[in-house]
């Protein structure tokens, strides 16, 4: 067991119920200098390598010394990331690479820490009604059955089947530089660890019709929309927030680091999942399994099929407020997020069949963030289980052809003409204060089973998986998974109860996962002393 070595407690404790983080405010500066980058704001780099390690027991002292030096000289803080952003806005200067390090529960054990010394998942008053337990101590493999993630020993890639102790993220805007940095780190860590996997990811942008580009995932839909906001500048930059405000308190994502240097030391729990996307299956189902749907003017809109499943059009336009029209979105800033589904409020919980005609209740974006659909508990509940997502697409096989492995900006024709069944997907990553009450609750109760405030919505057609019935909430449905999937013939018109039922799903497979804690930089610097 490691002895706990901590230094001064001079910094006052930060109130985690606050938001509006302002780097110019001295109250926030100690926290920002000790919190790793990519938690409160995404790193914003185009290319990222994710290096997974298993520590060797005989070289733990070497591992501690290397990590301490690595944290002192190379890990990026939230403070440094913000300074880089400001410099870029003023001058266009490159802010440099972003590097972080996270540790799993098995990693803490390998480093000599006993279970009582691990960071603790923290609930809030708003989400304490969720019954899911803390998940970090047992790791992602222990939750595979609960979440419908398949057989770990068969369905997961070999790198994730046994202990995964450490995850190092290396991100940069230049592919060659990111690769060189990752390769250099790999050579160093081989002294004390086994390198299980070096997983590359890089962003994709859709070339817009006239100007700009929109970030997307491999199914072709805008991704990363509707993120929790913690910084004052991002909160104030919201185009409007009359119906939905993305402002969130710090306790949604940060927890105290028990091994940090003082009360300003915080970290966050990180969920990593390698999700393989069957692009061919998804696109073919869009085209052939959903009947034509008309827009508000009574004209068939071929984009409506996928939008009814996802909840937004490919360009990010929210379906529920769209009138059934795709829209001409050219920039991320044009994507609206100020809606709460109150223009199509579902009836109170009951067993009879219910349908959504402006946006199906089972649409991906609606089922994973139901907003005002949940009225049996205070609105704070929906906010309290949100995830701070940091996903990035991956291509283990080049989707767009030889020599285009690092292609960033793609056209609709390239997306439609290249439809792999395997080898591409999303490196899903989310930060949260409580893995059980946030990530696992959303994945199992909402995405897998559609238990939305006492109603049986049915599984999410994008990320839903078959899994055992969850304990969920005290007001969960008596008869789960009853909701048939039927769609309107025209946006906004009542759904015909005799309309054919839609079968859609099973296009994502989890190829491996782990739960980590991204600790304070001060803990990592002190590690050699523990």
């Amino acid at each position: 067991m490691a002895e706990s070595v901590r230094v001064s407690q001079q910094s006052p404790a930060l109130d985690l119920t606050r938001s509006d983080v302002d780097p110019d405010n001295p109250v926030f500066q100690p926290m920002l200098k000790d919190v790793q980058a990519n938690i409160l704001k995404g790193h914003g780099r185009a290319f990222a390598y994710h290096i997974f390690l298993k520590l060797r027991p005989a070289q733990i002292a070497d591992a501690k010394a290397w990590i301490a030096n690595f944290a002192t000289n190379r890990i990026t803080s939230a403070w440094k990331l913000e300074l880089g952003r400001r410099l870029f806005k003023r001058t266009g200067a490159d802010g440099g690479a972003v590097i972080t390090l996270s540790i799993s529960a098995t990693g803490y054990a390998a480093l000599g820490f006993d279970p009582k010394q691990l960071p603790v998942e923290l609930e809030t008053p708003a989400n304490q009604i969720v019954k899911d337990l803390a998940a970090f101590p047992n790791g992602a493999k222990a939750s595979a059955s609960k979440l419908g993630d398949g057989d770990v020993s068969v369905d997961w890639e070999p790198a994730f089947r046994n202990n995964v102790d450490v995850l190092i993220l290396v991100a940069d805007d230049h592919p060659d530089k990111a690769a060189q940095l990752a390769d250099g780190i790999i050579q160093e860590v081989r002294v004390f660890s086994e390198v299980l996997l070096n997983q590359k990811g890089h962003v994709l942008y859709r070339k817009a019709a006239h100007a700009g580009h929109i970030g997307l995932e491999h199914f072709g839909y805008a991704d990363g929309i509707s993120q929790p906001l913690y910084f004052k500048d991002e909160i104030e930059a919201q185009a409007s927030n009359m119906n939905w405000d993305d402002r969130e308190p710090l306790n949604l994502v940060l927890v105290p680091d028990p091994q940090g240097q003082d009360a300003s030391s915080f970290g966050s729990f990180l969920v990593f999942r390698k999700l393989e996307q069957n692009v061919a299956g998804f696109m073919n189902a869009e085209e052939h399994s959903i009947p034509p749907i008309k827009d508000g003017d009574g004209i068939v809109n071929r984009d409506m099929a996928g939008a009814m499943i996802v909840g937004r059009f490919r360009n990010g336009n929210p379906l529920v407020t769209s009138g059934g029209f795709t829209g001409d979105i050219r920039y991320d800033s044009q994507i609206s997020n100020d809606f709460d589904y109150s223009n199509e409020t579902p009836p109170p919980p009951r067993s009879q069949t219910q349908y959504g005609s402006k946006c199906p209740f089972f649409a991906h974006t609606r089922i994973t963030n139901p907003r005002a659909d949940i009225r049996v508990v205070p609105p704070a509940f929906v906010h309290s289980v949100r995830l701070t997502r940091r996903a990035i697409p991956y291509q283990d096989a080049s989707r767009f052809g030889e020599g285009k492995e690092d292609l960033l900006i793609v056209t609709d024709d390239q997306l439609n003409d290249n439809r792999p069944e395997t080898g591409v997907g999303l490196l899903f990553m989310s930060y949260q204060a409580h893995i059980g009450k946030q990530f696992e609750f959303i994945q199992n109760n909402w995405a897998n089973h559609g238990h939305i405030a006492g109603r049986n919505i049915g599984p999410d057609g994008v990320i839903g998986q078959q899994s055992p019935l969850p304990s969920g909430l005290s007001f969960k449905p008596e008869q789960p998974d009853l909701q048939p999937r039927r769609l309107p013939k025209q946006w906004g018109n009542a759904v015909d109860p005799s309309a054919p039922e839609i079968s859609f799903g099973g296009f994502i497979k989890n190829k491996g996962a782990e739960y980590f804690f991204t600790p304070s930089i001060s803990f990592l610097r002190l590690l050699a002393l523990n």
Side-chain angles (χ1 to χ4, degrees):
M1 181 185 75
E3 294 294 329
S4 181
V5 177
R6 300 183 64 186
V7 294
S8 74
Q9 291 287 330
Q10 295 177 0
S11 299
L14 179 66
D15 181 4
L16 294 183
T17 64
R18 299 184 62 171
S19 56
D20 297 307
V21 174
D22 182 358
D24 294 326
N25 185 338
V27 171
F28 296 105
Q29 290 175 2
M31 177 271 290
L32 291 173
K33 293 176 181 179
D34 204 16
V35 166
Q36 293 192 56
N38 204 41
I39 299 174
L40 299 177
K41 277 188 181 181
H43 60 67
R45 273 51 176 179
F47 298 88
Y49 285 86
H50 307 79
I51 306 168
F52 296 89
L53 308 179
K54 181 178 180 181
L55 300 175
R56 293 196 190 97
Q59 282 86 40
I60 291 301
D62 293 333
K64 288 183 174 183
W66 184 89
I67 292 173
N69 180 68
F70 191 65
T72 301
N73 296 298
R74 301 170 75 176
I75 285 180
T76 310
S77 67
W79 175 261
K80 182 180 178 181
L81 181 65
E82 188 61 23
L83 294 182
R85 288 182 186 277
R86 293 185 174 191
L87 181 63
F88 176 79
K89 288 181 179 179
R90 290 198 314 268
T91 69
D94 189 332
V98 173
I99 299 176
T100 68
L101 187 147
S102 304
I103 306 172
S104 69
T106 61
Y108 272 95
L111 291 168
F113 293 89
D114 67 34
K116 294 181 180 180
Q117 294 176 299
L118 296 184
V120 177
E121 293 169 64
L122 295 181
E123 66 181 16
T124 66
N127 67 25
Q128 62 183 356
I129 60 173
V130 176
K131 296 178 181 179
D132 294 75
L133 302 176
F136 173 72
N138 294 323
K141 286 180 281 295
S143 295
S145 176
K146 171 184 178 180
L147 302 181
D149 281 336
D151 185 336
V152 172
S153 63
V154 176
D155 300 316
W156 288 22
E157 293 181 357
F160 298 100
R161 293 176 185 173
N162 297 300
N163 289 358
V164 181
D165 297 329
V166 175
L167 166 59
I168 299 174
L169 179 146
V170 182
D172 195 83
D173 273 331
H174 305 284
D176 291 342
K177 178 182 174 185
Q180 290 174 21
L181 289 170
D183 289 343
I185 290 172
I186 287 172
Q187 294 306 311
E188 295 176 22
V189 300
R190 288 190 191 280
V191 173
F192 56 81
S193 67
E194 176 186 354
V195 178
L196 301 172
L197 178 67
N198 181 21
Q199 177 67 59
K200 179 183 177 181
H202 80 264
V203 299
L204 290 174
Y205 298 110
R206 167 181 281 107
K207 179 77 173 181
H210 303 286
H213 49 257
I214 306 293
L216 71 155
E217 45 70 49
H218 277 288
F219 289 151
Y221 285 81
D223 194 31
I225 305 170
S226 186
Q227 292 279 20
L229 303 179
Y230 307 103
F231 276 74
K232 180 180 179 181
D233 63 334
E234 293 185 316
I235 293 168
E236 293 177 348
Q238 295 179 98
S240 60
N241 59 0
M242 294 182 62
N243 299 297
W244 178 261
D245 193 347
D246 275 320
R247 173 202 311 255
E248 299 295 354
L250 290 168
N251 63 7
L252 183 73
V253 70
L254 293 184
V255 299
D257 186 345
Q259 306 300 330
Q261 67 180 2
D262 58 29
S264 294
S265 298
F266 298 94
S268 185
F269 292 99
L270 170 63
V271 171
F272 178 93
R273 291 162 69 81
K274 183 176 181 179
L275 303 179
E276 184 178 67
Q277 295 176 258
N278 180 350
V279 176
F282 184 94
M283 288 187 169
N284 292 340
E286 281 183 296
E287 296 167 352
H288 302 296
S289 68
I290 300 176
I293 303 173
K294 299 176 181 179
D295 62 24
D297 288 337
I299 304 300
V300 170
N301 182 351
R302 296 186 183 279
D303 297 336
M304 194 84 75
M308 284 281 175
I309 298 298
V310 175
R312 291 181 185 262
F313 288 94
R314 277 185 165 81
N315 59 17
N317 188 22
L319 179 62
V320 72
T321 57
S322 69
F325 308 115
T326 303
D328 183 17
I329 293 177
R330 308 178 190 179
Y331 301 97
D332 287 342
S333 60
Q334 292 178 300
I335 299 175
S336 172
N337 199 43
D338 188 21
F339 62 92
D340 61 1
Y341 301 112
S342 59
N343 63 328
E344 189 181 41
T345 303
R350 53 192 176 191
S351 59
Q352 73 179 53
T353 301
Q354 305 162 50
Y355 302 102
S357 63
K358 297 177 180 177
C359 179
F361 299 132
F362 58 79
H364 169 65
T365 57
R366 189 166 190 170
I367 209 169
T368 54
N369 186 7
R371 306 190 186 205
D373 279 359
I374 293 186
R375 298 176 181 271
V376 296
V377 290
F381 171 73
V382 176
H383 284 269
S384 74
V385 297
R386 296 183 73 194
L387 309 177
T388 302
R389 292 165 288 128
R390 300 291 181 245
I392 190 169
Y394 77 86
Q395 300 178 59
D396 288 344
S398 180
R399 174 177 178 179
F400 304 106
E402 186 177 352
K404 297 181 179 180
E405 293 82 3
D406 295 330
L407 185 66
L408 294 179
I409 301 176
V410 296
T411 65
D412 285 336
D413 286 343
Q414 287 174 310
L415 290 168
N416 289 329
D417 293 344
N418 298 276
R419 303 184 177 193
E421 295 182 357
T422 60
V424 304
L426 191 72
L427 304 179
F428 174 88
M429 288 170 280
S430 69
Y431 281 106
Q432 50 270 299
H434 199 297
I435 295 174
K437 293 179 182 290
Q438 291 175 252
F439 167 71
E440 290 198 349
F441 170 77
I442 289 177
Q443 178 65 49
N444 203 25
N445 283 264
W446 288 356
N448 289 358
H449 292 280
H451 291 178
I452 307 292
R455 287 175 287 113
N456 302 311
I457 305 305
D460 179 348
V462 179
I463 65 169
Q465 303 181 139
Q466 292 185 350
S467 64
L469 293 178
S471 57
L473 301 170
S474 57
F475 47 81
K476 70 176 180 138
E478 293 181 3
Q479 294 177 288
D481 300 343
L482 287 180
Q483 176 66 60
R485 299 183 185 187
R486 294 191 173 96
L487 299 173
K489 293 182 178 179
Q490 181 173 348
W491 184 94
N493 288 2
V495 177
D496 183 351
S498 65
E501 188 169 348
I502 302 302
S503 177
F504 199 101
F507 304 116
I508 286 182
K509 292 182 179 179
N510 182 19
K511 305 297 287 185
E514 191 51 272
Y515 297 156
F516 298 92
F517 186 68
T518 306
S520 64
I521 297 173
S522 62
F523 160 65
L524 298 175
R525 288 172 174 166
L526 293 166
L527 192 56
L529 303 177
N530 283 307

